[in-house]
Amino acid sequence: MEVVIATKYVLPSLIIAIEEKLSDEESLRKRLTALEKMSKARQLAIHAMRVEKMRRKAWYDRAIVHNKYMKDGDLALLYGSKKHKGKLKLTWNGPYLVHHINENGIVLLKILEGELFPGYINESRIKRFYAPSLA
């Protein structure tokens, strides 16, 4: 019976050693070299996974645009659902008052009457609302 840990490296078992009529020392030597190769392959795979994870994180972080120009007390519009989108239907609801913005992009909104909007909103679903001046 063989134990396959990596597709390239096979760890020989005792049954193979008996079938190939290897001595105990020779069998142990082959097993140790196979284990060393697997250890190196495992370390290379872990390193490659970390590099790939860092590359993907950098790509996603670069693609995310945070509303850093918004602060507590600003007016904001909330993006509506795409289900009932029509030619003349509004896609932005509001305005709402920004009650609190977390560092990780979670926004807590208030209805203009003062009560809190139910639930938290992702920062990507809101945009700043500039009230028209009456002057």
Side-chain angles (χ1 to χ4, degrees):
M1 183 174 155
E2 295 177 2
V3 177
V4 178
I5 295 179
T7 57
K8 204 172 192 181
Y9 303 107
V10 177
L11 185 62
S13 67
L14 294 176
I15 296 173
I16 293 173
I18 293 171
E19 288 175 357
E20 293 182 6
K21 298 178 183 173
L22 299 174
S23 67
D24 289 340
E25 292 176 15
E26 207 174 341
S27 173
L28 285 173
R29 198 174 319 116
K30 278 191 169 187
R31 288 176 62 84
L32 284 175
T33 56
L35 283 172
E36 287 173 359
K37 285 180 183 179
M38 278 195 294
S39 177
K40 288 178 185 177
R42 190 175 292 132
Q43 288 174 355
L44 286 173
I46 289 170
H47 177 70
M49 285 174 19
R50 285 184 181 149
V51 168
E52 179 65 18
K53 186 175 182 178
M54 287 170 44
R55 187 190 67 79
R56 285 187 184 186
K57 182 183 181 333
W59 186 86
Y60 281 115
D61 288 350
R62 189 175 58 241
I64 294 174
V65 178
H66 293 287
N67 289 328
K68 295 187 181 199
Y69 56 88
M70 292 186 69
K71 59 185 182 298
D72 296 351
D74 285 345
L75 292 175
L77 295 175
L78 176 64
Y79 186 72
S81 69
K82 293 182 180 180
K83 277 185 181 178
H84 308 290
K85 193 173 181 182
K87 187 174 183 178
L88 300 174
K89 293 200 177 185
L90 297 175
T91 54
W92 293 94
N93 301 326
Y96 298 102
L97 194 64
V98 175
H99 181 67
H100 181 69
I101 298 179
N102 280 350
E103 295 171 0
N104 57 354
I106 297 173
V107 180
L108 189 58
L109 298 176
K110 257 188 188 178
I111 301 172
L112 291 179
E113 287 80 38
E115 55 189 78
L116 288 174
F117 192 81
Y120 293 96
I121 307 296
N122 191 329
E123 189 177 29
S124 64
R125 293 192 60 216
I126 65 169
K127 71 177 180 179
R128 188 163 182 193
F129 176 70
Y130 297 95
S133 62
L134 300 174

